[in-house]
Amino acid sequence: MKILLIGASGTLGQAVAANLGARHDIVRAGRNSGEERVDLTQHDSVQALFQRLGRVDAIVSTAGRLHFGPLSEMTAAQFNIGLQDKLLGQVNLALLGQHHLSEGGSITLTSGIVAIEPIRLGANATAVNAALEGFVTAAAIELPRGIRINAVSPTILTESVPAYGSLFAGFESVPAARAALAYQRSVEGAQTGRVLRVD
Amino acid sequence: MKILLIGASGTLGQAVAANLGARHDIVRAGRNSGEERVDLTQHDSVQALFQRLGRVDAIVSTAGRLHFGPLSEMTAAQFNIGLQDKLLGQVNLALLGQHHLSEGGSITLTSGIVAIEPIRLGANATAVNAALEGFVTAAAIELPRGIRINAVSPTILTESVPAYGSLFAGFESVPAARAALAYQRSVEGAQTGRVLRVD
């Protein structure tokens, strides 16, 4: 398969590239690195990427920024960061990507455990991740030509504990390589409209 | 209680006003009608409303626009309509409103059944409603001074069947007056971080 992977330079993206790259042709894309540069929040940037690539068999995103901060100080402008970046960026990728996928192709987006396990400072993250999970369940019932869409929802990665572990007190971490298996299940499996939780 | 009700002129808002108004002092607000005018998508408009009102005991929103349309033609700009209006508008109301509520006060937002029961043309609605439901579960764990927050998630209203029934094939409708009971439960009850489904 020819697989477009956005966010390929991140901790999760590298693990997904290692897993899928063993059997497939991976195009690594990112905002600031990778063979292809793309800004998911920009319609023209994503459209141009697909024009360059032609047809792909799978689209995988492990990209997206969120806002973390105390609810008592949070502003709508801060909350909108996650809406525009991790949520609308990935939705934009799916909306444009649906027209560039081969029959039976797939889209795999990334949400996160706080969708269903809220943490302090994480109101934006919970809302954005829950929205992404809702989006894939709804998009799945409308996609034509056997195209599938799923979300992978990992808990905190073991590799990310030094940086973010304090936010996730008492959460069991998973190695990125284990989370990558869920992306493999989404890309190589047959399910659609599912949230694949890794925790 | 002194209750601020946004979206008071809508089908659901009128039913909530009738229920809560029997026992409480309701301030009816809306974008284009009501005693108070407010645009939830505008920080300054919401802030000015709270400056005029002073402290309130409960905030209820039955307001918010979504985008409905086929996924195959949907653009990120269209998807953003629901993100900016029903989602970020209600989040903005909660973020600013938390500072103007009395101790033990409550915030009640409105999501909708498509959060968990997707329909054709409804990818934006599912994502927005799921995000709102996520937001209240996360916000509830950070709100101080006994302030509570819940979402009411009604199915299609019986009064709305003539206009929107074709989107909701096989869904059992509920009268707005029955949906209003869930708002009463949220405002007069003690629960927080809950999604009160009415279907």
Side-chain angles (χ1 to χ4, degrees):
Chain A
M1 279 191 240
K2 179 176 174 182
I3 301 176
L4 169 62
L5 172 60
I6 318 273
S9 68
T11 305
L12 192 51
Q14 290 178 48
V16 171
N19 178 312
L20 295 177
R23 293 168 309 286
H24 306 288
D25 174 22
I26 311 290
V27 179
R28 291 168 177 76
R31 209 181 304 234
N32 303 307
S33 63
E35 305 146 53
E36 297 285 349
R37 303 297 159 92
V38 64
D39 180 349
L40 295 190
T41 70
Q42 300 300 316
H43 172 282
D44 292 354
S45 174
V46 176
Q47 194 68 293
L49 173 63
F50 283 115
Q51 297 301 339
R52 293 196 298 275
L53 292 185
R55 205 140 284 256
V56 297
D57 302 301
I59 298 168
V60 177
S61 165
T62 58
R65 290 192 306 133
L66 294 165
H67 171 74
F68 285 92
L71 188 81
S72 62
E73 300 169 9
M74 201 175 288
T75 65
Q78 290 172 326
F79 198 90
N80 202 31
I81 293 170
L83 298 190
Q84 296 303 308
D85 201 290
K86 185 170 182 179
L87 175 51
L88 195 55
Q90 293 194 92
V91 166
N92 188 35
L93 177 69
L95 292 178
L96 292 171
Q98 65 180 324
H99 305 295
H100 301 277
L101 278 166
S102 54
E103 184 159 342
S106 67
I107 300 166
T108 307
L109 307 181
T110 297
S111 62
I113 193 170
V114 295
I116 58 170
E117 284 290 343
I119 58 174
R120 282 190 201 94
L121 315 185
N124 183 239
T126 295
V128 164
N129 288 327
L132 283 161
E133 297 184 2
F135 175 70
V136 302
T137 65
I141 65 174
E142 287 194 70
L143 283 169
R145 302 185 293 120
I147 295 174
R148 302 178 296 107
I149 186 166
N150 299 296
V152 173
S153 183
T155 186
I156 184 171
L157 302 178
T158 303
E159 294 86 341
S160 303
V161 167
Y164 303 112
S166 62
L167 286 171
F168 291 84
F171 284 66
E172 194 173 343
S173 68
V174 299
R178 203 184 131 216
L181 290 169
Y183 293 83
Q184 180 186 353
R185 263 197 290 154
S186 177
V187 170
E188 299 179 9
Q191 65 275 58
T192 190
R194 289 283 311 280
V195 178
L196 305 178
R197 304 195 188 279
V198 186
D199 53 19
Chain B
M1 281 190 236
K2 179 176 176 182
I3 302 175
L4 170 62
L5 172 60
I6 318 275
S9 69
T11 305
L12 192 51
Q14 289 178 50
V16 172
N19 178 311
L20 295 176
R23 292 169 308 286
H24 306 287
D25 173 21
I26 311 290
V27 179
R28 290 167 177 77
R31 209 182 303 233
N32 303 306
S33 63
E35 304 146 53
E36 296 286 349
R37 302 297 159 92
V38 64
D39 180 349
L40 294 190
T41 70
Q42 300 299 316
H43 172 282
D44 292 353
S45 175
V46 176
Q47 194 67 293
L49 173 64
F50 283 116
Q51 296 301 339
R52 292 195 300 274
L53 292 185
R55 204 141 284 255
V56 297
D57 302 300
I59 298 167
V60 177
S61 164
T62 57
R65 289 191 307 132
L66 294 164
H67 171 74
F68 285 92
L71 187 80
S72 62
E73 300 169 8
M74 201 174 290
T75 66
Q78 290 172 326
F79 198 90
N80 201 31
I81 294 171
L83 298 190
Q84 296 303 306
D85 202 290
K86 185 170 182 178
L87 176 51
L88 194 55
Q90 293 194 93
V91 167
N92 188 37
L93 177 69
L95 292 177
L96 292 172
Q98 65 180 324
H99 305 294
H100 300 277
L101 277 166
S102 54
E103 183 158 342
S106 67
I107 300 166
T108 306
L109 307 182
T110 298
S111 62
I113 193 171
V114 294
I116 56 170
E117 284 291 341
I119 58 174
R120 283 189 200 94
L121 315 185
N124 183 239
T126 295
V128 165
N129 288 327
L132 284 161
E133 297 183 1
F135 175 71
V136 303
T137 65
I141 67 175
E142 288 195 69
L143 284 169
R145 301 186 293 120
I147 294 173
R148 301 177 298 106
I149 185 165
N150 299 295
V152 173
S153 183
T155 187
I156 184 171
L157 302 178
T158 304
E159 293 87 342
S160 303
V161 168
Y164 302 112
S166 61
L167 287 171
F168 291 85
F171 284 66
E172 194 173 345
S173 68
V174 300
R178 204 184 131 216
L181 290 169
Y183 294 84
Q184 180 186 353
R185 262 197 290 155
S186 176
V187 170
E188 300 178 8
Q191 66 276 59
T192 190
R194 289 284 311 280
V195 178
L196 307 177
R197 303 197 188 278
V198 186
D199 52 19

